[in-house]
Structure formats: C-alpha cells, structure tokens
Amino acid sequence: MSGFGDATAVERTGEGRYKVELDGDYAFAGAVNGGYLMAVLDRAAVDLSPHEHPVSTAATFLRVATAGPAEVIVEPRKTGRTTATSLVTLVQDGRRAVDALVTTGTLDTGTEASWTGPRPVPSLPPLEECADFAATTGEQGFAAQVDMRFDRSTMGWLEGRPSGSAELRAWFRLRDPHEPDAFALALAVDALPPVALNLGAKGWAPTVELTWHMRAVPAPGWLTLHGGGRLLSGGWFDEEVEVWDSAGRLVAQSRQIAREGR
Amino acid sequence: MSGFGDATAVERTGEGRYKVELDGDYAFAGAVNGGYLMAVLDRAAVDLSPHEHPVSTAATFLRVATAGPAEVIVEPRKTGRTTATSLVTLVQDGRRAVDALVTTGTLDTGTEASWTGPRPVPSLPPLEECADFAATTGEQGFAAQVDMRFDRSTMGWLEGRPSGSAELRAWFRLRDPHEPDAFALALAVDALPPVALNLGAKGWAPTVELTWHMRAVPAPGWLTLHGGGRLLSGGWFDEEVEVWDSAGRLVAQSRQIAREGR
C-alpha cells in the first residue's frame, strides 16, 4: 500500500507538463477512481499556480483511465492576484481521458464563516454504529486506501432493498497518516457509491461531469460525506456531496452528472 | 428590444469559430450577464455538435465581457455516440473572457422521470402576489428582456432588511415570444440577484465558476427559479439554482461560486 501523497505525486517534465503513475489501488474494475484523478489534476494545477488551493475544479470525464503511466498538461488561462485558472488535461496512451478547468486561490486556515446554512439532516450515526464493509470483505483496492463507515439506513441497496431515496452517508478518512487536505477532498467528493443505487439502478455509473468547490481547509480527523440527488431521468442522474470536517465545518461541495448503470 | 434568439445568435466564420455581437441589453453596469454569455457559448457548442442539448456547461469567468463584437472558439475534445464535449471560449479584444467545458447530448422530450426528489419548499406564491419591480422602476436593460416576479419574502435586502437566509425565489420568462429552451435555461440559472445579498453582502458579486446541467426540455410557459446557498466564508459564497417548468418538472440545476460584493 502506497501513501496517498505518493500515489498522487506529479513529476514536472517541462513547462506545464507532468508525468504521473496512476495507482491501480484506486481503481475499480479496471477504471481508476474519478476523485483520485481529480486529486492528481489539482496537484498539477496548484504546482503551476501562485495560489495554494483548488477552489474550483470542473472536470469532464472523457474516457476511462487505467493504472499505469499518464501525463498531465496544465495550460494557464488567466493568472490573477486573487485567483488563477488553468485547463488541466489527463492524457493516457495519446488520448485525453479527463479535461478540467481548475481555479486556484488561497483559503485562510483561520477564516471564520460569515454565514453557514444548516448542517445536513439527518446527521451521521456515531462511527461505531456504522457499517465497516472492509472489516468483513477485506481491505482490497480502494477499500485498502480509504476507511469508510456507512450509515446503514442508506445502504439497503447492497441487500437488494434500495431505500428509494437518493441518499448516502458515510464517515471517510485515508488509511495512511495523510490528514485531510485539498487533494483528499478531491477524493472524498467522488468516494461514495452512486446514489442512484438507492433508486434501483445497478452497477457502475460513469460520471460525465463533476464540479467541486473547496470551501475551507479541513481540520485533522474524520470527514463526513452527505450524498444526495434530485433527479434520475432518461438515464441521467445528478449526485451532490457535501463534505464536513471534524470541526463541524463545510469544507467541500460537489455535484456530478452521471449515466445510470445497467 | 431585440429578441433573445437574435441576441444570442452565433455566425460561423470558420471551423469552430463564430462571430457574435454581445447585446448591451443584457448588461448590468457595463458587464454582460453571465447567463447570457453561457447561452451564446452553448449555442456555438450545439452548432458544432451532433447532439442537440447542452447537458452540462461548466463555465469559468475570467474577465468581464462588454457589449459589442466578440468571438467564440469551439474546440472539440471528444465526440461520442451519446455525448460530445468541447472547450468553448469567448474571446473579446484579443483576451479570453469565459472558458467553458460543454457536454452535449440529446434529451428526449417525452421522457418521464424515473425518480424525482421533493419539490422545493416553500413553493413560490402565485404570480399576482409576487413583486414586479420592472412595473415600478421601468423596463430597462435586463428587465426589458426578462420578466421576473419575486417572492417578496426573499427580497428584504432591497429595503435594507436582508432575510439572513441565502434564498431567493422568482417566476421567470423572456418578454419576447421565445418559449423556454436550452438557451433560455442558461440565462435562467444566472438571472437571480446574488443570494448573498440576503446575508448582508452589498453590490455586484462576480461569478468565478458556474456549472449548470440541463435535465429536461422545458414546457412552454413560466419557469420558477429557486435560489439557495450554503456558505459565505472568506469572501466566497456558493449559490445553487433549481429551475422548474410549468409542467412541474426540474429542468435545470446550477451551482456557482462567487466573490462577495463590497
């Protein structure tokens, strides 16, 4: 098991060009996880930016990426005092796999929110009441990298009893000592199983587009993921994830649009 | 007053190149409205795509665009059977103003939703109980193009009494006979005043990034806009807008991240 920092490392090979080695431990059925890919793209974007945090990442997934070597190309589109925007592309085997518009900025760790909406309802049950599937199925692949504990009331689909409501909730942390940072948040916003599984959809649901916003620098400790959705229609569904940190702050928000699995 | 179709027209001048004339009637304090710009970009993207609808538009606003001539450059990134993705850029005076990743697909008008979440609560009051500011202030600029009727309970900020809740609700239609379509939805998702005005923020709030998804082909008639937000922190706030059509269907969803006005 490699650490998350090593697994998402980008090596500069030229102006705006990075060599990466996509880690098969973050793959599922051969396809590398989209959140992991965004973490890699965000690292390259931040490397070339004067700013520290990927405040906005809008990623379009063009093709499946697989374990092995790939290249990240960062093309600056505007660099300003408060923000900088780049077009960041993952290329593998000579073909684009992901395109992302990434806007970096610098969030102040000490900032207190001026206003925050209500915390998600219902909140997560305590850790010890949640389901730890890795404990029974074994820690392999993604489950060996990420420790997730699921709110059992949102996991009925696993036993053929989808809840009928597009909700999923889980505790989340990396298994290695890597405390939550911007790049772990990129992984977190796409770590839940597809919420459409609770609507009777089956199997893998390819993400077409996912935008996430980093809202605060996360405190150390567990994160909580609150996944929801609004509509499944014509084979398309949306999924929203809010990530809250151990200090009770909203640290990331995402929405993706995906195709229903079949 | 020009019609919305004319105002957003794109004229092909070469492979993936379009000439446009940005209409000052959609500007506010010199800056052309972001939703209008997305409508223009989406029209160019659809023109070059085999698919009919802008299912996903992730736009990053780099610089203010002003009334007058501009160019749209559409660079195909992947063209597939179900979807096609392009990088679409608005260039004015030799500088990029907006970059967008646009994924097109074709939504079937007759599709019934497989599942839909609850309608927004509270719903909008009837039209006749809503505030029609254009009737008193006169129909100028944006208000001459778009007929909006606001839920009075969300407009206290106008009289110096912000509600303290990041919500705004309004009925929406174009004043010309242009019935709602994909491009009117692009306008609708960015038509509300900034929700942060209800949190005490002042003035113009520049959008940094806005992603919107088209979820269904809208029925003729009025649309309703339900705007919300989750967090205002460090000068950044998010705003989510759901657009519902006259048939009671969720037709578009957006989230933007913007800078607080000062």
Side-chain angles (χ1 to χ4, degrees):
Chain A
M1 170 181 140
S2 62
F4 181 68
D6 290 342
T8 56
V10 298
E11 182 189 337
R12 196 162 175 165
T13 57
E15 184 63 20
R17 301 188 87 91
Y18 296 84
K19 191 169 79 170
V20 298
E21 182 73 25
L22 303 180
D23 187 334
D25 285 341
Y26 292 87
F28 181 72
V32 177
N33 173 269
Y36 166 85
L37 295 177
M38 292 192 297
V40 170
L41 298 182
D42 284 338
R43 283 190 71 163
V46 166
D47 185 78
L48 204 67
S49 166
H51 307 295
E52 205 174 329
H53 299 120
V55 171
S56 174
T57 302
T60 301
F61 295 86
L62 305 170
R63 291 181 182 86
V64 162
T66 56
E71 189 178 29
V72 178
I73 299 170
V74 182
E75 184 191 329
R77 306 293 281 184
K78 187 199 166 190
T79 303
R81 201 167 47 88
T82 310
T83 62
T85 298
S86 302
L87 174 66
V88 188
T89 302
L90 180 73
V91 177
Q92 192 173 44
D93 299 330
R95 304 203 302 176
R96 292 183 199 105
V98 186
D99 268 330
L101 286 166
V102 178
T103 296
T104 50
T106 297
L107 303 175
D108 184 345
T109 311
T111 300
E112 296 281 326
S114 308
W115 178 86
T116 183
R119 297 203 50 150
V121 177
S123 60
L124 271 163
L127 266 172
E128 59 274 15
E129 294 175 18
C130 288
D132 178 6
F133 297 108
T136 48
T137 61
E139 294 176 10
Q140 297 174 335
F142 196 72
Q145 316 309 319
V146 173
D147 188 359
M148 292 179 74
R149 312 291 177 90
F150 292 89
D151 181 337
R152 294 172 191 277
S153 72
T154 68
M155 297 299 282
W157 56 272
L158 261 185
E159 291 160 352
R161 295 191 307 275
S163 68
S165 171
E167 291 183 19
L168 275 172
R169 291 182 288 276
W171 296 89
F172 173 99
R173 70 173 176 188
L174 288 159
R175 289 194 190 273
D176 74 14
H178 190 103
E179 286 295 353
D181 62 6
F183 312 114
L185 294 179
L187 186 65
V189 296
D190 198 31
L192 288 170
V195 290
L197 294 170
N198 266 331
L199 307 175
K202 307 276 186 203
W204 190 57
T207 301
V208 173
E209 196 278 338
L210 187 155
T211 299
W212 77 276
H213 297 132
M214 178 175 180
R215 303 307 308 278
V217 179
W222 287 90
L223 300 171
T224 55
L225 312 184
H226 298 260
R230 295 292 285 149
L231 183 67
L232 169 61
S233 182
W236 294 92
F237 71 95
D238 60 295
E239 174 168 331
E240 289 81 50
V241 176
E242 287 190 0
V243 184
W244 293 72
D245 75 359
S246 62
R249 297 179 308 156
L250 178 61
V251 291
Q253 297 170 285
S254 72
R255 175 179 290 140
Q256 64 173 276
I257 187 138
R259 298 288 298 166
E260 185 181 358
R262 299 197 182 271
Chain B
M1 171 180 139
S2 61
F4 181 69
D6 289 343
T8 56
V10 297
E11 182 189 338
R12 196 161 175 165
T13 56
E15 183 64 18
R17 301 188 86 92
Y18 297 84
K19 191 169 78 171
V20 299
E21 183 71 25
L22 302 180
D23 187 336
D25 285 342
Y26 292 87
F28 182 71
V32 178
N33 173 270
Y36 165 86
L37 295 177
M38 292 193 297
V40 170
L41 297 181
D42 283 339
R43 283 191 70 164
V46 166
D47 185 79
L48 204 69
S49 166
H51 306 295
E52 204 174 329
H53 300 119
V55 171
S56 174
T57 302
T60 301
F61 295 86
L62 305 170
R63 291 182 183 85
V64 162
T66 55
E71 190 178 28
V72 178
I73 299 169
V74 182
E75 185 192 329
R77 306 292 282 186
K78 186 199 167 189
T79 303
R81 201 167 48 86
T82 309
T83 62
T85 298
S86 302
L87 174 66
V88 188
T89 302
L90 180 73
V91 177
Q92 193 173 43
D93 299 329
R95 303 202 303 175
R96 294 183 196 104
V98 187
D99 269 328
L101 286 167
V102 178
T103 296
T104 50
T106 298
L107 303 175
D108 184 345
T109 310
T111 300
E112 297 279 327
S114 308
W115 177 85
T116 183
R119 296 204 51 153
V121 176
S123 60
L124 270 163
L127 265 172
E128 59 275 16
E129 293 176 18
C130 288
D132 178 4
F133 297 108
T136 49
T137 61
E139 294 177 10
Q140 297 174 335
F142 196 73
Q145 316 309 319
V146 173
D147 189 358
M148 292 179 75
R149 312 291 178 89
F150 292 89
D151 181 337
R152 294 172 191 277
S153 72
T154 67
M155 296 300 280
W157 57 272
L158 260 185
E159 293 160 352
R161 295 192 306 275
S163 68
S165 169
E167 290 183 19
L168 276 172
R169 292 182 287 277
W171 295 90
F172 173 100
R173 70 173 176 188
L174 287 160
R175 289 195 190 273
D176 75 12
H178 190 103
E179 286 293 354
D181 62 7
F183 311 114
L185 294 179
L187 186 65
V189 295
D190 198 31
L192 288 170
V195 290
L197 294 170
N198 266 331
L199 306 175
K202 308 276 183 199
W204 190 56
T207 301
V208 173
E209 196 278 338
L210 188 156
T211 300
W212 78 277
H213 297 130
M214 179 177 181
R215 305 306 308 277
V217 179
W222 286 89
L223 300 170
T224 56
L225 312 185
H226 298 260
R230 295 292 284 147
L231 183 67
L232 169 61
S233 182
W236 295 90
F237 71 95
D238 60 295
E239 173 168 331
E240 290 81 50
V241 176
E242 288 190 0
V243 184
W244 293 71
D245 75 359
S246 63
R249 296 178 309 155
L250 178 62
V251 291
Q253 297 170 285
S254 72
R255 174 178 291 139
Q256 63 173 276
I257 188 140
R259 297 290 296 166
E260 184 180 359
R262 301 202 180 265

